[in-house]
Amino acid sequence: MSVDWKNFEPVLLPKIPVLHKIDVYEKNGGYDQLKKVLKDWTPEKVTNEVKAANIRGRGGAGFNAGLKWSFMPKPDGGPRYIAANGDESEPGTFKDRQIFEYNPHLFIEGAIIAGFAMSITAVYVYIRGEYKDWIDMMQKAVDDAYAKGYLGKNILGSGFDIDMYVHSGAGAYICGEESSLMESLEGKRGYPRVKPPFPAQKGLWGRPTTINNIETLANVPLVIKNGAEWYTGIGAKNHPGPVLYGISGHVNRPGVYEYPTGMSINDLIYDVCGGVRGGKKVKAVIPGGSSTPPLRGDQLEGVCMDADSLRTAGSMMGTAGMIIMDEDTDMVDVLWRISHFYHHESCGQCTPCRDGTGFLEKTLIKIRDGHGEMRDLDLLLDLCTQMEGRTICALADAAAWPVRYTVTRFREDFEKRVKNTVYALA
Amino acid sequence: MSETFEFTKEELAEIDKIKAKYPDKKSPVMPVLWLAQNKFGHVEPEVQQLVAKTLDIPAAHVYGVVSFYTQYYGTRKGKFVFDVCTTLTCQLCGGYDILHHLEDKLGIKAGETTEDGMFSIQSVECLGACGYAPMMQITNGVYCNHLTKEKVDRIVDDLKAGKMPEFEQIPFPQHQNESSK
Ligand SMILES: Cc1cc2nc3c(=O)[nH]c(=O)nc-3n(C[C@H](O)[C@H](O)[C@H](O)COP(=O)(O)O)c2cc1C
Ligand code: SF4
Ligand code: FES
């Protein structure tokens, strides 16, 4: 079952020219939700509404945003932070930058409302360093919001103070992991922290902190405006709302598209993106960034882009960064390149991850170059088992899943490669 | 003659503004490194010393940060650095062909710099532009999308003539073609 997407009008990235300019945003109702909340709402009411809307985190893990906010301890008069995650480095993901470029104030308004709900003193917007141009756009938007009194002391005369700072990363995928991101904001190497303590207890500079993805926070003003019921009525029942699908690879019209969650993968490929280049068949789809298990082209019938449907199919929603591969794709080559990425990005703190990602890559190079043996396939799966769930952060899992599921679901590609070697040697 | 590295009064004022955004003195190290790299073109050990002195933190800490993040140039690179994305989607869409074309054209391999110090090439991880693959970034700055060999040639010629490619705004597909519904 697919959702009614043909009549859907984008709300995160609506069709309004130059909406990134603050006066255009205001003319279209921008910052009205913030005004409403500051005037009439209590922080609890905001949190409860967001919780009821079930905005599931768009950064990958899909956790209910309002529920996460409710973990923050009671204010004690000291500083409290939001770290907004715009690190966006999971291969296949290029959606948050559309918000920076086309609708930055929606995110800013959402972050301020979230700040009000959790009595936050400052929001740090962490953006990957490569997004230099988008960092400048965000900085401009933040400056404009300060100039209009939406940020700073006593905003809009409400007595509520909140600051927002844009922080540039400098090239490290791992800094998208929430505790690594906090280390990086604190001016250190981005080594993930052991949890507990969780960020709500001990986050940035030892203070209560909530980490949310940029797109997650951009959904907040929409929920305040239209209500949780409206929100849960969009898309998939247990994973509702509009979502930015970033679709890339061998399709005719790649790009970022805003549609409800729960769209069928086939509709996205054929109707939205105009099908596969050259009219070829789909060999594989990675649904939500390179760490999510790939699905076979013949596995796609009826599979939809939401947590439940993808779990049943054997994958995950991740960041909704979909990568489509055509029938000529060499899965061995693809998997080697994915493994190279995770090997390169492992921070090296945990042995199973540091060594495991290296062994995975080395073994895959061996197979790719035709020196592999059948038992190397078992070795790969065994390595995955030794990495999964045994490390400080989830990078090791993110590295293991694609290997496990590419080797099992596309085993013919691998067997062909290793068998050929045996014949060649004989 | 050995180079000396210093911040101007204006830059120090800028650094004070950066410091005000963070609650302790270690935290501003990343933005200050960026400022230094934008000024000097690299953050070699002498520049790291300067940053450490300016923020009153140990130079070893600054070095630790520089060596963790790929975008900081702990050693000098070419005037223009081509960061060619070869990760997943770019790989699928010809990123390696672009890389090899650039290598052939400039006569260097990824990781190297031309003798005249003009160009460096690096093969890098996903830059968050997968829908516009293959692509590359120039010296931590502008993104060049939808690359073809011809487009790469044009970019190299332009850079030699002192012209940096402009920011490419990529229209949001849903905003333009209604007919796709
Ligand atoms: C290795 C790794 C990389 C991650 N990268 C990102 C990222 O680039 N952007 C992001 O929003 N979340 C990323 N996450 C998820 C964050 O840790 C965190 O769950 C998320 O930012 C929370 O926001 P959300 O609940 O709004 O999704 C990453 C997680 C891991 C383990
Ligand atoms: S799992 Fe990998 S990336 Fe995460 S902390 Fe351990 S070594 Fe670092
Ligand atoms: S794979 Fe090249 S930009 Fe993402």
Side-chain angles (χ1 to χ4, degrees):
Chain A
M1 188 199 69
S2 182
V3 293
D4 175 26
W5 57 274
K6 291 196 171 137
N7 297 309
F8 178 82
E9 284 296 325
V11 284
L12 291 165
L13 301 170
K15 290 174 205 173
I16 300 168
V18 294
L19 186 59
H20 65 279
K21 296 197 168 149
I22 194 162
D23 45 337
V24 178
Y25 182 71
E26 287 175 318
K27 264 192 216 111
N28 287 280
Y31 289 107
D32 285 357
Q33 305 317 312
L34 176 64
K35 290 175 192 159
K36 180 166 99 184
V37 160
L38 290 176
K39 196 158 154 278
D40 299 326
W41 290 41
T42 62
E44 294 71 35
K45 186 174 167 187
V46 178
T47 304
N48 288 336
E49 194 70 23
V50 172
K51 200 196 300 185
N54 192 14
I55 308 175
R56 301 189 51 174
R58 305 294 197 238
F63 196 79
N64 180 320
L67 187 58
K68 190 189 277 188
W69 299 1
S70 71
F71 297 156
M72 288 287 273
K74 288 219 156 26
D76 60 2
R80 294 154 69 88
Y81 303 108
I82 288 176
N85 194 343
D87 193 54
E88 186 143 277
S89 309
E90 168 97 346
T93 311
F94 55 108
K95 59 175 183 84
D96 293 335
R97 58 177 269 198
Q98 318 292 338
I99 296 174
F100 301 142
E101 187 169 342
Y102 292 99
N103 205 358
H105 290 288
L106 183 69
F107 156 73
I108 296 175
E109 185 175 5
I112 303 171
I113 294 171
F116 172 75
M118 293 181 277
S119 307
I120 297 298
T121 50
V123 180
Y124 286 87
V125 187
Y126 190 105
I127 306 179
R128 65 178 299 175
E130 293 87 346
Y131 280 178
K132 168 80 176 61
D133 285 321
W134 292 270
I135 290 169
D136 292 348
M137 292 174 203
M138 263 316 288
Q139 188 60 57
K140 165 89 174 75
V142 168
D143 292 346
D144 290 348
Y146 265 106
K148 294 256 185 170
Y150 298 122
L151 287 166
K153 292 255 172 290
N154 186 21
I155 60 171
L156 305 171
S158 64
F160 175 57
D161 306 336
I162 189 164
D163 281 304
M164 186 177 285
Y165 306 117
V166 179
H167 180 102
S168 167
Y173 163 70
I174 190 58
C175 289
E177 193 280 335
E178 56 186 27
S179 61
S180 166
L181 183 146
M182 294 192 292
E183 288 289 299
S184 184
L185 272 170
E186 292 181 9
K188 303 180 205 152
R189 292 163 76 88
Y191 288 135
R193 299 176 183 171
V194 178
K195 290 177 247 182
F198 292 97
Q201 268 66 50
K202 215 166 171 282
L204 278 170
W205 300 287
R207 299 290 308 166
T209 303
T210 290
I211 297 100
N212 271 135
N213 172 258
I214 301 293
E215 184 187 346
T216 308
L217 290 169
N219 275 279
V220 170
L222 307 172
V223 169
I224 301 300
K225 179 173 179 209
N226 303 300
E229 214 171 300
W230 167 82
Y231 194 86
T232 52
I234 299 172
K237 190 163 163 286
N238 293 324
H239 195 156
V243 67
L244 300 179
Y245 295 105
I247 310 176
S248 67
H250 296 140
V251 286
N252 281 314
R253 284 194 300 273
V256 169
Y257 295 86
E258 180 186 341
Y259 281 113
T261 55
M263 268 189 75
S264 95
I265 292 183
N266 280 332
D267 282 353
L268 282 162
I269 296 175
Y270 295 101
D271 292 339
V272 172
C273 292
V276 180
R277 287 182 196 172
K280 291 186 185 159
K281 285 211 219 34
V282 176
K283 175 159 185 175
V285 172
I286 294 176
S290 59
S291 65
T292 58
L295 297 168
R296 292 171 62 99
D298 56 18
Q299 250 187 313
L300 297 178
E301 195 54 44
V303 179
C304 299
M305 289 294 288
D306 61 80
D308 292 343
S309 179
L310 284 166
R311 189 180 324 109
T312 310
S315 192
M316 289 179 289
M317 179 83 163
T319 60
M322 300 170 61
I323 301 146
I324 318 298
M325 294 170 239
D326 72 20
E327 55 190 300
D328 297 332
T329 307
D330 177 352
M331 296 310 285
V332 177
D333 220 24
V334 165
L335 185 60
W336 155 69
R337 191 61 186 80
I338 294 176
S339 292
H340 175 73
F341 172 81
Y342 289 104
H343 182 206
H344 182 262
E345 301 297 337
S346 166
C347 83
Q349 278 191 110
C350 323
T351 310
C353 174
R354 183 188 58 239
D355 290 356
T357 52
F359 278 130
L360 288 178
E361 186 185 0
K362 231 188 320 188
T363 311
L364 284 159
I365 288 177
K366 188 174 153 198
I367 298 172
R368 181 198 69 186
D369 293 347
H371 308 302
E373 299 162 60
M374 197 60 103
R375 63 177 176 192
D376 287 329
L377 303 185
D378 294 332
L379 177 66
L380 284 173
L381 299 179
D382 187 40
L383 281 167
C384 292
T385 308
Q386 303 207 34
M387 292 168 69
E388 287 158 354
R390 289 168 196 248
T391 52
I392 295 175
C393 88
L395 186 140
D397 305 83
W401 293 327
V403 174
R404 175 177 297 288
Y405 293 100
T406 308
V407 170
T408 46
R409 290 181 185 157
F410 299 87
R411 196 167 171 105
E412 351 41 287
D413 282 43
F414 290 83
E415 286 191 355
K416 234 186 276 163
R417 212 50 98 76
V418 291
K419 266 191 210 140
N420 281 345
T421 334
V422 175
Y423 295 145
L425 286 174
Chain B
M1 196 190 81
S2 76
E3 261 180 281
T4 54
F5 297 101
E6 269 168 47
F7 289 128
T8 62
K9 240 172 59 208
E10 293 73 35
E11 285 155 356
L12 288 171
E14 180 65 33
I15 290 171
D16 280 338
K17 271 199 233 153
I18 294 172
K19 278 158 63 176
K21 298 180 181 177
Y22 301 88
D24 68 3
K25 64 182 186 182
K26 212 177 249 179
S27 303
V29 65
M30 289 185 70
V32 174
L33 278 168
W34 271 121
L35 189 147
Q37 180 159 300
N38 290 339
K39 175 183 165 99
F40 302 114
H42 61 84
V43 284
E44 287 191 337
E46 294 86 342
V47 179
Q48 295 169 22
Q49 296 279 357
L50 172 69
V51 169
K53 198 178 78 193
T54 311
L55 290 176
D56 186 27
I57 58 175
H61 180 81
V62 179
Y63 172 74
V65 171
V66 168
S67 56
F68 187 83
Y69 298 92
T70 54
Q71 284 191 286
Y72 292 132
Y73 300 160
T75 52
R76 265 169 237 242
K77 301 206 193 258
K79 184 167 173 211
F80 303 109
V81 181
F82 294 115
D83 281 337
V84 184
C85 177
T86 54
T87 314
L88 192 45
T89 303
C90 287
Q91 174 197 25
L92 293 170
C93 298
Y96 279 99
D97 295 339
I98 295 298
L99 177 70
H100 297 146
H101 177 70
L102 205 49
E103 287 177 335
D104 292 345
K105 189 172 171 73
L106 299 178
I108 53 171
K109 289 274 171 221
E112 296 174 352
T113 301
T114 53
E115 259 175 34
D116 60 3
M118 275 290 273
F119 299 107
S120 301
I121 306 177
Q122 308 190 116
S123 162
V124 302
E125 301 305 327
C126 177
L127 289 166
C130 324
Y132 324 120
M135 59 78 63
M136 68 178 175
Q137 173 169 35
I138 302 180
T139 329
N140 291 329
V142 72
Y143 275 29
C144 306
N145 308 288
H146 299 124
L147 292 176
T148 57
K149 290 178 184 169
E150 294 70 36
K151 184 164 172 181
V152 169
D153 290 346
R154 217 160 47 230
I155 290 169
V156 172
D157 291 343
D158 281 354
L159 287 172
K160 281 184 179 155
K163 201 171 132 233
M164 185 60 95
E166 280 175 17
F167 176 78
E168 299 169 9
Q169 191 181 30
I170 298 172
F172 195 54
Q174 251 165 320
H175 289 189
Q176 35 173 226
N177 71 24
E178 283 295 80
S179 60
S180 78
K181 280 193 178 173

